């Protein structure tokens, strides 16, 4: 049995989550404000999608040596603080344990990519021309029961004979970055 209000609509208690509608203008306002703030104060980030052939996965290590990265980057906007390189000499050679966190607007990323970024994909920062590999992604800030920020935690990409050299030459881009 459903309880109705005097205007004929179903009754919902005030403590339920049904009062938070996905189409609230306040949510859109927070998203637009955050996206505009990141575009004004942040920097571009070039995202290279990872493609893996499912037939080529090693059963022991559960990884593929035939990784293919997209050659056409998708430009996203992020906020991050560049860190100095920390290349350390170990018994096995130079190690680069650098980790970087990129903050992006979650709705803008979903709009531009169509899905959350894949773990293992690469990103390139045009500021210092560095390559990074996404190792973790998580949702950051929340407003009105809505995810506002997406955080990409990345490690510096170390080239080897399998993965090849840097993807995408963005030094001489044929478009203006505003």
């Amino acid at each position: 049995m459903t309880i109705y209000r005097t205007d004929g609509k179903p009754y919902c208690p005030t403590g339920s989550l049904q009062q938070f509608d996905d189409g609230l203008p306040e949510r859109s306002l927070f998203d637009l404000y955050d996206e505009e703030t990141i575009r004004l104060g942040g920097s571009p980030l070039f995202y290279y999608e990872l493609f893996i052939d499912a037939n080529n996965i090693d059963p022991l290590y559960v990884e593929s040596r035939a990784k293919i990265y997209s050659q056409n980057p998708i430009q996203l906007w992020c906020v991050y603080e560049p860190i100095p390189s920390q290349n350390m000499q170990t018994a096995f050679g130079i190690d680069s344990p650098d980790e970087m966190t990129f903050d992006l607007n979650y709705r803008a990323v979903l709009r531009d990519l169509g899905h959350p970024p894949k773990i293992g994909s690469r990103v390139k920062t045009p500021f210092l021309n560095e390559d990074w590999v996404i190792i973790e992604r998580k949702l950051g800030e929340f407003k009105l029961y809505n995810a506002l920020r997406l955080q990409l935690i990345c490690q510096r990409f170390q080239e080897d004979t399998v993965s090849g050299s840097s993807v995408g030459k963005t030094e001489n881009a044929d478009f203006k970055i505003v």
Side-chain angles (χ1 to χ4, degrees), residues 23-42:
L24 282 177
E26 290 86 3
R27 285 189 183 178
S28 298
L29 179 65
F30 275 123
D31 279 329
L32 290 173
Y33 176 72
D34 186 56
E35 181 181 355
E36 187 70 20
T37 303
I38 289 175
R39 281 187 186 264
L40 290 174

Side-chain angles (χ1 to χ4, degrees), residues 95-162:
D95 189 20
S96 180
D98 298 339
E99 255 188 27
M100 177 78 72
T101 302
F102 298 99
D103 288 328
L104 301 94
N105 181 272
Y106 185 56
R107 296 283 179 184
V109 170
L110 290 181
R111 183 190 66 231
D112 293 342
L113 295 180
H115 56 82
K118 291 182 181 178
I119 293 176
S121 295
R122 291 168 64 178
V123 293
K124 186 169 190 165
T125 58
F127 174 61
L128 292 175
N129 201 20
E130 296 174 323
D131 289 325
W132 301 88
V133 177
I134 300 172
I135 59 169
E136 185 181 349
R137 69 171 185 249
K138 58 185 176 179
L139 298 177
E141 296 180 30
F142 294 90
K143 297 283 185 197
L144 295 174
Y145 294 97
N146 190 22
L148 190 61
R149 291 276 176 104
L150 173 70
Q151 292 181 334
L152 297 179
I153 294 132
C154 302
Q155 281 184 343
R156 192 176 301 274
F157 178 72
Q158 296 181 355
E159 297 178 5
D160 57 10
T161 57
V162 176

Side-chain angles (χ1 to χ4, degrees), residues 47-58:
Y47 172 78
Y48 296 90
E49 186 89 21
L50 170 69
F51 301 108
I52 296 178
D53 182 15
N55 299 326
N56 214 0
I57 296 178
D58 187 287

